[in-house]
Amino acid sequence: MPRKKPEGGGKDQTTSKPTKAGKPTKWQKDASIPETKNLFPIVGIGASAGGLDAFEKFFTNMPPDTGMAFVLVQHLDPTHKSILSELIKRYTGMKVREVEDGMQVQPNSIYVIPPNRYMGILHGRLHLLEPTALPGHRTPIDYFFRTLAEDQKENAICIVLSGTGTEGTLGLRTVKGEGGMGMVQDPEDAKYDGMPRNAISTGLADYILPVEEMPKQLIAYGRHAVIKVPGEPAELTFKDADHLAKIFMIVRSQTGHDFSHYKQNTVLRRIERRMAVNRIAELSRYVRYVQEQTGEADNLFKDLLIGVTNFFRDREAFSVLREKVIPKLFENRSADRPIRIWVPGCATGEEAYTLAILCRDFMDGLNKRFSVQVFATDLNNEAIETARLGNYPESISTDVPAEFLERYFTKKGDLYHIKKEIRDMVVFALQNVIADPPFSRMDLVSCRNLLIYLGAELQKKVLPLFHYALNQHGFLFLGSSENIGEFNDFFSVLNRKWKLYTRNDREFGQDTVLHLQRPTVTDRRITAPATGYPTAIDRPGHREIVEKLIMESYGPAGVLVNEKGEILYIHGRTGKYLEPASGEFTSKNNILDMARQGLKIELAQSIRKAAERKTEIRNDRLRVKSNGGELLINLVVKPISEPASMKGQLLVIFEDVPYEEANGTQADPIDATEAGEHPRVRQLEHELLSTREYLQSVIEEFETSNEELQSTNEELQSANEELQSTNEELETSKEELQSVNEELNTVNAELQRKIEELTSTTNDLNNLLASTDIGTIFLDTRLHVRRFTPTMTDFINLIHTDVGRPLEHVVTKLKYGRLVEDAKEVLRTLVPKEQEIQTNDDRWYSMRILPYRTLENVIDGVVITFVDTSQSRLAMKAGAEEAQRQEVSIINTVREPLLLLDRDLRIESANESFFRTFKVKPEEIRDRLLYDLADRQWDIPALRDLLEKILPEKTSIEDFRVEHEFETIGNRILLLNARQLQTEPGKSKKILLAIEDVTGRQIP
């Protein structure tokens, strides 16, 4: 792993999750910053509102000699000169400079972005650019974080501090994707928590801390981090390779995914970063940490899967795709043939949505609609869930063209939401592109920046899968740093610079495709060494060695064979009887092929007879030529019946005949005397007879076998043709079913999620309708009952089985017979209708009839609501009666006579003073005209003029003098005051007449 082990001291603790600093764990060991030439961490710090306070706390606690460089990017007023550099100088002993174009970054220095500028870094130099976006859409923090990650790789560190909005989120993702470290201010510690909370929501923050604790943790991380030149190859010792294999094994057992064939340098950088985060210096300690610390395997798994992605990444590449590929996808495309696109390794979905947007934009240009299906897959479940939500920070405005941002996104707060028309085109699913069955019949496979993480062996497995997944002449879109390697015969180059290819007609074999779906899970590069020493189990004892030597020296040689004569085991020295046959050596050499001259025929007969008869067969005094001479041996073939595991096997024993027994005398066995010729003749006759018997038996067996084989061969040929045809059909069907099954699983998961959302929404609506206590009934365009709330049963006789029945067939409790007619009128005119109606039990309801509109603004029926107004009516009536009582009380307290007249000058009421003054009884005035009162004593011409002519014009008259002779009270001089009373709109006006008796007074 690391070539130099860090040394030093560290006191902070970091668990598998982002936490605050604490005491060291048993896994952590002190380490110092490795000695590197001109290499040091560069820390990018982004802040917005509340950033000055955070900067003060940060640099107050940061020593001036950490060996790091700090670059501050804050939202500044573009119209005013910044004094941020002067303010920062108060809190630190480091050099503080406002950035000038091309400035070289040095350690132990602080660099501050100037106002109204974007800033990037290339080869360690800071460069300033004019902003192109409007002030409200500028994202200088994300821009710098991205360039920092691309330039410094794993030596990059980003810190997100206080601020509003979502700035820093995309930059953090890029830094982590390149192997750097991310730190976020604790939202509880920030004055404005918008930026910190959005950064934390990615799940990528290594530390979440208050600002005061960040310097301490940053220094501890720097001591354990391995500073490298970008692209520096890792050097593994065998011991480190063994530890690495154990880490792969633990991650595979806990996550189900094998990373042993991923590119070694990439994996090592991610593991080293996790070690630095957890302040562990030795790989062996990290193995135990991963094994015992809950959640660390998952954290490493997530780090290994972090990929750098964003909308329209490599803008020129997508322009080429838009011009050369997208139009061809729609050429000669029928409406029932969907365009199918597969995006493996989709991460958080930006690339999949980009392709969907390009397809939608092309369809908008054609003013036609086609079915487009984008299948986006990834290993990371959290990334898939993020992609499904379709919510992205506002800083994507730097990646997405303004026209697309306006047409296909909805701005809500600090987030951009993918519109439904784009979201419905994309299906997200979990998939391991290496192990799971691939999709099929694809028109485009877009796999950008996934192959760069895979080793050569995995790349050779993945590219044939893409070839299999594509339709004839389908398109393959790779990242700018990827290529098709040795598969030039299977893909043609469409654009070499931006890695666009088309599928050739050449096909891989079916066995190749099936094999590619079963990748190996062991790394052959990491294996245990062979020491060459036997273990305790392999090491024999003295007794076994002595017995073996005695048996080899004094026991007969023997060979264990099966019924076919294939050698299973050889005991003793058999070189005198057997010799290896010429030709290629196999593990199943036949004993007959190895038999020396003079032994083969008898050996073959004996093996055959012993196998058939299950008895021991013995042949004595056989002459065998060996090493230029002859041997006289006894051949024994013995069937083995026990143990059961060896039943059916044969033991061939070679017994040497003693020299004296072979000759009978001490004479030379080769002496050619006349007496010695007779045994030789007999021997030759015996051999000839045996040969004839052997040949006859062989001929008979051969003829029988030949007939059987000929018949069997004919049957096998016929069966083979059928099986071959069936096998081809099954293989094709199997591959199609695997792909269809994968697609069905993907669609099913998406539908299941939508069903859950619909169920939750339905439950919410049902509870809402039930809790409002408002009677609601939904009717379709035929005025059939579609749905109703429980309150409706109070005045319309409805049960659940009435759904689907016409409204006119349902009995109501309403004193209103135009309900159906009104519903038809609203459905025809689309004008809402409102009416006060009464039920049979004298309850009042406010009825409203409205058109039923769908989300597509289509009229699909009517909605009728009934709101109970009985209580409000009773309250109004009680209020009116109370007001009337109060009015009577007030009038009766007035000393002057008062009359209340309606528009026709009929008396509605009078006060007690009127009755006393003019000697009139209450029953005499009820529903009487004023002029008819008291035998027309009030039919006074002046009074008529007052009430009928003068009052309508002036609305009020004061002190109108009338003198009249009354029969009951005599001559009176009266002053009349009259006023028209204002009433509710729609009701007739009333007149209040006040009469003052001034008889006997002197009137001015």
Side-chain angles (χ1 to χ4, degrees), residues 287 348 379 444 453 456 503 540 545 588 606 637 733 740 806 822 830 833 873 902 915 930 968 1003:
V287 172
T348 48
L379 278 177
L444 169 64
Y453 297 103
R503 180 189 187 272
I545 295 175
K588 292 185 178 181
S606 299
V637 180
S733 299
V740 171
D822 289 346
L830 304 183
K833 188 177 184 63
R873 276 180 166 269
D902 62 12
F915 295 131
L930 175 62
T968 54
I1003 301 175

Side-chain angles (χ1 to χ4, degrees), residues 180-459:
M181 188 268 279
M183 184 177 288
V184 180
Q185 183 178 4
D186 189 338
E188 301 297 328
D189 180 61
K191 280 190 175 182
Y192 298 89
D193 61 358
M195 284 173 51
R197 289 194 184 278
N198 278 284
I200 293 170
S201 68
T202 64
L204 301 177
D206 293 301
Y207 303 100
I208 302 172
L209 301 168
V211 176
E212 294 91 338
E213 299 180 19
M214 285 184 174
K216 183 178 180 182
Q217 193 66 46
L218 194 60
I219 294 171
Y221 174 83
R223 288 173 177 167
H224 290 78
V226 179
I227 308 300
K228 288 186 175 183
V229 177
E232 178 187 3
E235 297 178 5
L236 280 181
T237 64
F238 176 81
K239 186 176 181 181
D240 287 337
D242 182 60
H243 294 323
L244 191 62
K246 291 177 181 177
I247 293 174
F248 290 148
M249 181 179 63
I250 296 170
V251 172
R252 185 184 64 185
S253 65
Q254 295 194 26
T255 67
H257 299 291
D258 180 21
F259 290 92
S260 60
H261 290 284
Y262 279 51
K263 283 191 177 177
Q264 179 176 285
N265 285 350
T266 301
V267 173
L268 287 177
R269 285 198 298 267
R270 300 294 168 92
I271 292 176
E272 287 173 349
R273 204 195 65 79
R274 288 303 307 168
M275 292 174 62
V277 169
N278 293 289
R279 298 194 302 285
I280 299 174
E282 297 178 0
L283 190 59
S284 58
R285 288 177 175 265
Y286 185 67
V287 172
R288 293 187 59 195
Y289 185 80
V290 175
Q291 186 177 3
E292 298 183 11
Q293 189 72 14
T294 303
E296 179 59 23
D298 288 333
N299 288 333
L300 178 58
F301 169 71
K302 294 175 184 177
D303 269 20
L304 291 172
L305 291 182
I306 293 175
V308 181
T309 182
N310 47 274
F311 287 96
F312 296 91
R313 187 181 186 192
D314 298 327
R315 186 76 65 89
E316 185 178 345
F318 278 98
S319 295
V320 173
L321 182 79
R322 185 181 184 182
E323 295 172 2
K324 294 190 175 182
V325 176
I326 299 297
K328 293 183 179 180
L329 296 181
F330 291 87
E331 281 183 3
N332 303 321
R333 180 74 58 169
S334 60
D336 59 344
R337 249 186 83 218
I339 295 171
R340 295 161 60 83
I341 301 173
W342 181 21
V343 184
C346 68
T348 48
E350 287 90 337
E351 182 180 336
Y353 286 130
T354 298
L355 293 172
I357 287 171
L358 290 178
C359 290
R360 182 71 183 201
D361 177 64
F362 188 80
M363 288 190 290
D364 290 344
L366 295 176
N367 198 21
K368 293 183 180 179
R369 286 293 176 265
F370 297 88
S371 175
V372 178
Q373 298 173 344
V374 181
F375 298 92
T377 62
D378 199 273
L379 278 177
N380 192 336
N381 185 50
E382 292 185 4
I384 286 293
E385 289 302 320
T386 300
R388 282 175 175 159
L389 292 176
N391 299 334
Y392 297 96
E394 58 185 350
S395 50
I396 66 169
S397 58
T398 60
D399 300 322
V400 182
E403 56 174 319
F404 291 158
L405 200 64
E406 182 179 357
R407 287 163 55 190
Y408 303 120
F409 291 83
T410 303
K411 182 74 178 297
K412 294 182 179 179
D414 296 328
L415 296 175
Y416 280 103
H417 298 253
I418 291 286
K419 285 190 176 180
K420 187 175 185 296
E421 60 190 272
I422 301 298
R423 177 64 185 88
D424 290 345
M425 295 168 62
V426 187
V427 177
F428 293 97
L430 285 174
Q431 186 202 40
N432 187 337
V433 69
I434 300 166
D436 295 334
F439 291 92
S440 64
R441 302 189 301 280
M442 292 292 152
D443 299 295
L444 169 64
V445 173
S446 177
C447 182
R448 310 194 73 237
N449 304 309
L450 171 62
L451 298 181
I452 58 175
Y453 297 103
L454 305 181
E457 183 177 349
L458 287 186
Q459 290 188 18

Side-chain angles (χ1 to χ4, degrees), residues 587-732:
S587 60
K588 292 185 178 181
N589 275 359
N590 197 291
I591 192 173
L592 299 179
D593 297 334
M594 300 176 66
R596 290 183 179 271
Q597 187 175 350
L599 180 61
K600 185 173 183 178
I601 296 175
E602 294 295 339
L603 182 58
Q605 284 185 330
S606 299
I607 289 176
R608 181 176 57 81
K609 291 177 181 179
E612 290 177 355
R613 302 173 186 177
K614 306 299 181 185
T615 59
E616 179 180 314
I617 303 299
R618 186 178 183 88
N619 290 281
D620 294 333
R621 304 178 67 80
L622 299 178
R623 290 184 179 273
V624 180
K625 290 185 178 182
S626 177
N627 298 326
E630 288 187 347
L631 295 175
L632 197 62
I633 68 170
N634 296 328
L635 176 64
V636 179
V637 180
K638 181 179 180 180
I640 299 176
S641 58
E642 292 182 356
S645 61
M646 297 180 64
K647 190 174 182 179
Q649 297 176 0
L650 305 171
L651 180 62
V652 179
I653 301 174
F654 304 103
E655 297 177 353
D656 289 336
V657 177
Y659 182 79
E660 295 79 2
E661 182 181 345
N663 294 277
T665 64
Q666 297 296 329
D668 187 350
I670 310 300
D671 187 12
T673 62
E674 184 179 352
E677 289 180 357
H678 298 291
R680 179 61 176 168
V681 172
R682 288 195 298 270
Q683 178 66 27
L684 292 174
E685 291 176 348
H686 175 72
E687 291 181 0
L688 181 59
L689 180 62
S690 298
T691 302
R692 287 176 177 175
E693 292 178 356
Y694 173 71
L695 289 176
Q696 183 64 33
S697 64
V698 170
I699 290 171
E700 292 174 357
E701 291 178 0
F702 178 76
E703 290 177 350
T704 303
S705 300
N706 189 50
E707 293 175 359
E708 293 177 353
L709 288 173
Q710 188 173 0
S711 176
T712 303
N713 185 55
E714 293 174 355
E715 295 176 0
L716 288 175
Q717 284 180 345
S718 176
N720 184 59
E721 292 175 358
E722 296 177 0
L723 290 174
Q724 183 67 24
S725 176
T726 304
N727 184 60
E728 293 175 357
E729 295 176 0
L730 288 175
E731 289 293 344
T732 303

Side-chain angles (χ1 to χ4, degrees), residues 80-134:
H80 291 81
K81 180 178 176 60
S82 171
I83 60 171
L84 182 59
S85 301
E86 301 300 323
L87 296 175
I88 297 296
K89 288 180 181 178
R90 302 176 185 177
Y91 316 128
T92 180
M94 289 183 277
K95 295 180 180 178
V96 182
R97 307 171 184 174
E98 186 170 278
V99 176
E100 297 178 359
D101 199 18
M103 183 175 286
Q104 180 71 45
V105 177
Q106 299 292 338
N108 300 321
S109 300
I110 301 173
Y111 300 88
V112 180
I113 187 173
N116 199 29
R117 289 292 184 273
Y118 268 34
M119 180 171 62
I121 184 170
L122 179 66
H123 304 314
R125 290 185 178 274
L126 297 173
H127 299 274
L128 301 176
L129 299 93
E130 293 281 350
T132 56
L134 296 175

